Amino acid sequence: MTKCDRVLGPSAGHPVGSAGERSADATMKSVTTSTTTQGNTDYRDSGLVFPPGFTFGSATAAYQVEGAFDEDGRGPSIWDTFSKTPGKVSNGDTGDVACDHYHRWESDLDLMKELGLGAYRFSIAWPRIQPDGPSTGARTGWVNQRGIDFYSRLVDGLLERGIRPVATLYHWDLPQVLEDAGGWPVRATADAFEEYAAIMGGALGDRVHTWTTLNEPWCSAYLGYGQGGHAPGRHEPDAALAAVHHLNLAHGRAVHALRATSTGDPDYSITLNFHVLRGVGDGADEAIRRIDGLANRVFTQPLLRGEYPADVVEDTASVTDWSFVREGDLAVIRQSIDVLGVNYYSTATVRLWDGASPMQHNDGHKAAGGGTAWPGSDRVVEFVEQPGPYTAMGWNIAPEGLEELLVGLAAEYPEQPLMVTENGAAFDDAVADDGSVPDPERLDYLRRHFTAAHRALQRGVDLRGYFVWSLLDNFEWGYGYAKRFGIVRVDFDTLERTVKDSGRWYGELARTGVIPG
Ligand code: FCB
């Protein structure tokens, strides 16, 4: 038995939603079609009633909305550095001001209350809490009380308005000082995260309703350290896989630390961005297996089963020997969580590359020179263009993918309650003469995806709630302010907020629990 066998565990698992028939045709066919609801195919239902207690919320993330980048002791994060590096973000945009949520949080909370939202998923900026990083050796990390006070006021403000605080510890804004020490590819960053989690558990764990450790560790690891389109912009496939493991480890350590320090009775969760895959061409199964492993199972299996998928370890053997996985890590990573957060926007279609024709890279992520988000499979699998319609991100609109995903996860992990923690769409909104913001495409997108979620509920999925991305138009990472996801428009000159038609529609859904007509 090799070290890897012992530490990494046995199972190859199944692709998300893999119950369906697999196509090996040259024509595009869904590999999972047979799991979706038959009948009304356009998912444009209204009048569907959600169960009592279903959570309707909206989501943001610190770097995308807060601004106030150097106020009250905040230190720099990797996104400050990255966005200020020429050529990294469209139009040279940065999060310096963003939506100015740091100063306008009270009126933003009022807006949520007016809409009737039941929960707010926000993230805490680690560099506001530990601007200089964690304790090292003799040095005890300095905790910035002013940073804690901001989130404490925010949580109190939510509770006063009857809105549940759902707090994410890490939505990609690593303190720069930790990146300078190696970032997520080094184990010490997981140690630091545990310390940070304990601080936050002690500070807010009496009031936060749900703790989410990480948002989309796939993006942090592969886009940050492999493909390079996200901060810190490195192109090191082996580092990306080390980052995967240290993020998984950080989650386990953080849940442990939060449990030890939270005096209330919060729920615990992590949010993953699942890749719902279609396959085309000969060997579609193999293409799907590889990408499902790197995108989905390399997180779900350690987090929920305490093992790394053996096939992923094999597929990546030329990139890393996985020696960063130490004895005992998997037991730490596997924590029981109250809800698994599911982010879903669109599907992806993969094919085994023929080795000769120009490789296609339509994986939905902004091209970044040189790197790959798919270590070990980057010269094997290509991402082909998918049929529309598309959002302004170029992402295909596929509500059936959400239904498949939820049903597939419930089949694979029947005991695990689920929560849609992000779903929404970017479109190029225009302000009408009367000042309103009619956004029929976003409204239609939301209607279709809420219909998909409702169908999953009807099929027995334990889905607890749904957070629309996003409350506000905001800093959309590598695209800057060019892509608008908000149900509330932000004028980035005046910072004025205007509820879009989709926001009014969503408010009615949140207040009534019924998909409006
Ligand atoms: C997700 C991110 C979120 C936002 C949406 C559009 O991957 O978690 O911050 O950028 O995509």
Side-chain angles (χ1 to χ4, degrees), residues 91-160:
N91 196 38
D93 290 342
T94 74
D96 282 5
V97 177
C99 308
D100 196 32
H101 183 62
Y102 191 78
H103 298 116
R104 294 165 194 251
W105 63 271
E106 287 192 87
S107 48
D108 287 340
L109 265 46
D110 288 343
L111 204 53
M112 282 180 236
K113 185 172 178 190
E114 272 163 48
L115 289 175
L117 305 187
Y120 179 41
R121 174 175 179 253
F122 61 95
S123 82
I124 295 165
W126 191 353
R128 287 198 195 281
I129 308 301
Q130 293 185 291
D132 299 335
S135 307
T136 45
R139 185 172 76 89
T140 303
W142 172 56
V143 176
N144 179 28
Q145 189 58 41
R146 287 179 294 170
I148 290 185
D149 290 347
F150 170 70
Y151 295 106
S152 191
R153 287 193 297 271
L154 183 75
V155 166
D156 285 343
L158 287 165
L159 293 174
E160 280 159 19

